[in-house]
Amino acid sequence: MEGLIIREMNKVDLNDLSEVYMKVYNEYLDEQWTKESAYKLLSHLFKIQTDLSFVAVLNKKIIGGFIKPVKPWWNGYLMENGELFIDPKYRKKGVAQKLVLALFEKAKKIYSPNRTQLITFKDKIAYNWYKKLGYNEHKNWVILEGDFN
């Protein structure tokens, strides 16, 4: 995509990123994100892992982002599930792949992580895209969720 810039995220980017995040998850998963709740999440992740936070910018407009925390693990470092989101107008144009490559390149230099994990949607588009990147289902882990009530 001509004119696309992948760069490290700055705190001032969080406002625009919140708009994109809200749009993606409210449309794609029928969730109920507000700009405020998206900002809280992205701010939280940015504070945890400022050095592994990237944005995609096209014509001076933020169109996506990727934040992926890293934590010490028994055998080195583990890249945890993060947030990768692209404005729906710019999907299937290589933006996500460029964000992933930029973040992983920097992670290798700083942390040399042994493994990475993620949670993806059940739809075949996202699942197959991650499979093409080399991800496989974990043989022992299943994601469970529940309410505190």
Side-chain angles (χ1 to χ4, degrees):
M1 176 178 285
E2 191 172 324
L4 179 68
I5 297 169
I6 304 296
R7 64 166 172 76
E8 292 184 21
M9 188 182 296
N10 298 305
K11 189 173 182 178
V12 295
D13 296 328
L14 293 172
N15 196 43
D16 290 340
L17 280 167
S18 299
E19 291 278 353
V20 177
Y21 190 90
M22 181 179 69
K23 181 178 182 181
V24 168
Y25 284 92
N26 287 354
E27 289 178 17
Y28 197 65
L29 290 179
D30 196 31
E31 294 181 346
Q32 304 297 314
W33 289 93
T34 64
K35 188 171 179 180
E36 180 183 348
S37 60
Y39 187 90
K40 283 180 183 178
L41 170 66
L42 296 175
S43 294
H44 171 76
L45 292 172
F46 183 69
K47 286 177 193 170
I48 292 171
Q49 203 71 55
T50 304
D51 59 344
L52 294 180
S53 302
F54 284 80
V55 294
V57 181
L58 183 64
N59 300 323
K60 299 182 181 180
K61 179 183 176 192
I62 292 177
I63 63 168
F66 190 25
I67 305 174
K68 193 161 179 73
V70 174
K71 68 180 178 184
W73 204 240
W74 67 271
N75 60 350
Y77 284 97
L78 172 70
M79 294 183 77
E80 294 186 289
N81 190 53
E83 294 292 336
L84 173 62
F85 52 100
I86 310 299
D87 186 310
K89 291 188 292 191
Y90 302 101
R91 286 207 186 118
K92 297 184 180 183
K93 298 182 188 295
V95 178
Q97 187 168 8
K98 288 179 180 173
L99 280 167
V100 168
L101 291 174
L103 188 141
F104 282 13
E105 183 179 307
K106 186 166 183 193
K108 285 180 198 176
K109 289 178 185 174
I110 298 172
Y111 300 99
S112 299
N114 293 337
R115 309 254 333 135
T116 182
Q117 66 184 38
L118 64 88
I119 300 169
T120 188
F121 307 119
K122 290 183 179 181
D123 75 47
K124 291 296 181 192
I125 294 171
Y127 180 85
N128 289 336
W129 183 76
Y130 283 113
K131 294 287 281 184
K132 280 178 24 181
L133 291 178
Y135 284 86
N136 294 302
E137 291 183 32
H138 194 281
K139 66 181 180 177
N140 296 325
W141 295 350
V142 174
I143 297 171
L144 302 174
E145 69 176 350
D147 293 328
F148 281 106
N149 302 327

